[in-house]
Amino acid sequence: MDLPVVDLAPFLGAAAGCAADEEEMRALCATVSASLRDTGALLVKDPRCSAADNDRFLDVVERYFARSAEAKRLQERPHLHYQVGVTPEGVEVPRSLVDKDMQEKIRSMPEEFQPATPKGPDPKWRYMWRVGPRPANTRFKELNSEPVIPDGLPEWKETMDSWGYKMISAIEVVAEMAAIGFGLPKDAFTTLMKEGPHLLAPTGSDLQRHGSEGTVFAGYHYDLNFLTIHGRSRFPGLNIWLRNGKKMEVKVPVGCLLIQSGKQLEWLTGGECLAGMHEVVVSKRTLDAIALAKEQNRSLWRVSSTLFSHIASDAILKPLGHFAETPNADSYPPICAGDYVEQELSVINLKGKDGL
């Protein structure tokens, strides 16, 4: 099964006042909401986010991850729950290693759809870069900290901000289209996203050291945020699980962006949209890409071009509009988004159990 590719240009044109076919707009919005509901994922084309922009971003981040572990650790901020700066390899624990319910669910899957079993914490590095305005007043200072800028990469801030803002712009359009498709007001999601702790969060996986088939870079998990967006990586390896339980390797076409539903969207839709399960594993296609990169003398760091969009930390997560009447709405009681995020970070070892 292929994910649908939705071109955002007609919706952007209509928002800018161009003549638009209302029927076509409704159909586009319905495709977005149905894909998030049924597959937990969606491919989009945004004329404002070019393949060249993505490449420029990947080039800079590859150079950063190629630095020594000691040099990278200067940007480590564990006291801020790793929500800014670098997270070294071997820190983040995949949810499937510590969540008993998830382990039971995995055991009940048909063998061909089961995820790879991680041996321990993820062997990937990650850089968290806060994008967008921060709230003047918040209870969640650690989730809204100042960004950390590595030395020796003068283009870092401009490149990260430029790509980050473009990806957030794409998410906001998808959020509006999803809201319309779900029968909610157009701004139902985007209002709650205002001043959210959005994080451009590229991962770096060293294929020189960890490039054997079956290596698990990111164990089976869901994302705790609202919607996740990825530009195309230079090395494949991402698997997702559809609502029907089938496992599928994602192929992101050049010039496209991949969107995945996160736990905050699940909360706001009362479980109508489930957070998309996924993993990153070295596959046969990854090995082919490694061989080609070696031939072309290119970097062997697999960089994911990932941005986590969030609901504002001080906003309340609860099923919106008609979703409050759904059979599962009671499973999603009102909770402050920042409290929810901190609970999740504790489970995956990014926040001390005692809050330190």
Side-chain angles (χ1 to χ4, degrees):
M1 175 189 169
D2 287 328
L3 294 173
V5 178
V6 174
D7 189 346
L8 304 185
F11 190 85
L12 287 166
C18 302
D21 180 332
E22 237 177 271
E23 200 70 15
E24 184 196 359
M25 288 303 115
R26 268 204 300 274
L28 272 178
C29 294
T31 299
V32 169
S33 57
S35 191
L36 289 173
R37 183 186 63 233
D38 299 337
T39 70
L42 173 73
L43 290 166
V44 299
K45 267 188 179 169
D46 186 328
R48 301 166 302 176
C49 302
S50 70
D53 291 329
N54 191 30
D55 283 339
R56 179 170 164 248
F57 166 80
L58 292 176
D59 289 344
V60 172
V61 179
E62 279 176 0
R63 287 209 299 282
Y64 173 76
F65 282 127
R67 293 178 167 185
S68 70
E70 293 71 30
K72 292 194 289 265
R73 281 182 180 275
L74 296 174
Q75 287 80 50
E76 188 180 4
R77 301 291 185 272
H79 62 291
L80 298 176
H81 314 335
Y82 296 99
Q83 294 305 285
V84 289
V86 80
T87 307
E89 63 182 13
V91 171
E92 187 173 339
V93 174
R95 180 121 203 167
S96 52
L97 262 189
V98 291
D99 186 321
K100 296 281 184 281
D101 291 343
M102 199 177 277
Q103 289 165 3
E104 207 164 297
K105 183 183 166 192
I106 290 169
R107 282 194 292 273
S108 70
M109 291 177 180
E111 207 169 308
E112 71 268 31
F113 299 146
Q114 286 185 5
T117 307
K119 306 285 186 285
D122 291 337
K124 67 173 192 290
W125 291 75
R126 188 191 288 285
Y127 206 99
M128 296 287 212
W129 179 261
R130 173 63 198 264
V131 180
R134 298 160 70 234
N137 297 301
T138 176
R139 281 205 295 124
F140 303 95
K141 299 247 186 298
E142 300 92 340
L143 301 183
N144 293 277
S145 305
E146 288 288 357
V148 179
I149 303 173
D151 292 335
L153 285 169
E155 68 275 52
W156 179 270
K157 185 179 189 305
E158 194 275 327
T159 303
M160 300 294 270
D161 284 343
S162 168
W163 185 234
Y165 274 106
K166 287 183 179 192
M167 298 242 277
I168 286 175
S169 298
I171 285 270
E172 286 172 344
V173 173
V174 169
E176 287 186 351
M177 294 174 79
I180 293 166
F182 284 131
L184 297 171
K186 177 181 166 181
D187 63 354
F189 298 131
T190 49
T191 303
L192 293 171
M193 287 172 66
K194 198 172 182 313
E195 295 186 341
H198 311 306
L199 291 167
L200 183 57
T203 61
S205 305
D206 186 353
L207 295 169
Q208 189 84 52
R209 285 176 57 222
H210 304 293
S212 52
E213 190 175 353
T215 300
V216 183
F217 281 122
Y220 181 75
H221 68 288
Y222 57 74
D223 290 342
L224 60 87
N225 53 298
F226 172 57
L227 286 171
T228 301
I229 184 168
H230 308 266
R232 191 168 182 269
S233 173
R234 289 171 174 161
F235 297 91
L238 175 67
N239 296 318
I240 67 169
W241 276 258
L242 306 179
R243 183 87 180 230
N244 63 12
K246 287 189 174 169
K247 176 182 179 178
M248 160 185 165
E249 188 172 5
V250 177
K251 299 176 178 74
V252 180
V254 175
C256 286
L257 301 162
L258 172 69
I259 310 255
Q260 290 176 286
S261 52
K263 205 70 177 177
Q264 292 175 352
L265 177 63
E266 181 177 323
W267 217 275
L268 297 171
T269 60
E272 177 84 3
C273 263
L274 295 178
M277 303 304 300
H278 51 284
E279 67 177 2
V280 179
V281 179
V282 176
S283 66
K284 285 190 168 56
R285 287 180 62 236
T286 319
L287 296 181
D288 293 342
I290 291 171
L292 184 62
K294 283 179 176 171
E295 264 175 49
Q296 297 175 346
N297 205 24
R298 287 190 286 108
S299 169
L300 289 179
W301 277 87
R302 182 194 186 277
V303 173
S304 74
S305 177
T306 301
L307 182 136
F308 299 122
S309 72
H310 276 262
I311 298 305
S313 301
D314 296 274
I316 300 296
L317 289 176
K318 62 178 181 181
L320 299 177
H322 61 88
F323 290 120
E325 312 302 320
T326 57
N328 295 324
D330 288 350
S331 304
Y332 301 94
I335 183 171
C336 198
D339 288 326
Y340 173 72
V341 168
E342 292 198 339
Q343 284 174 22
E344 290 280 325
L345 293 176
S346 283
V347 175
I348 57 174
N349 198 39
L350 295 183
K351 177 181 186 289
K353 299 288 185 292
D354 55 0
L356 296 176

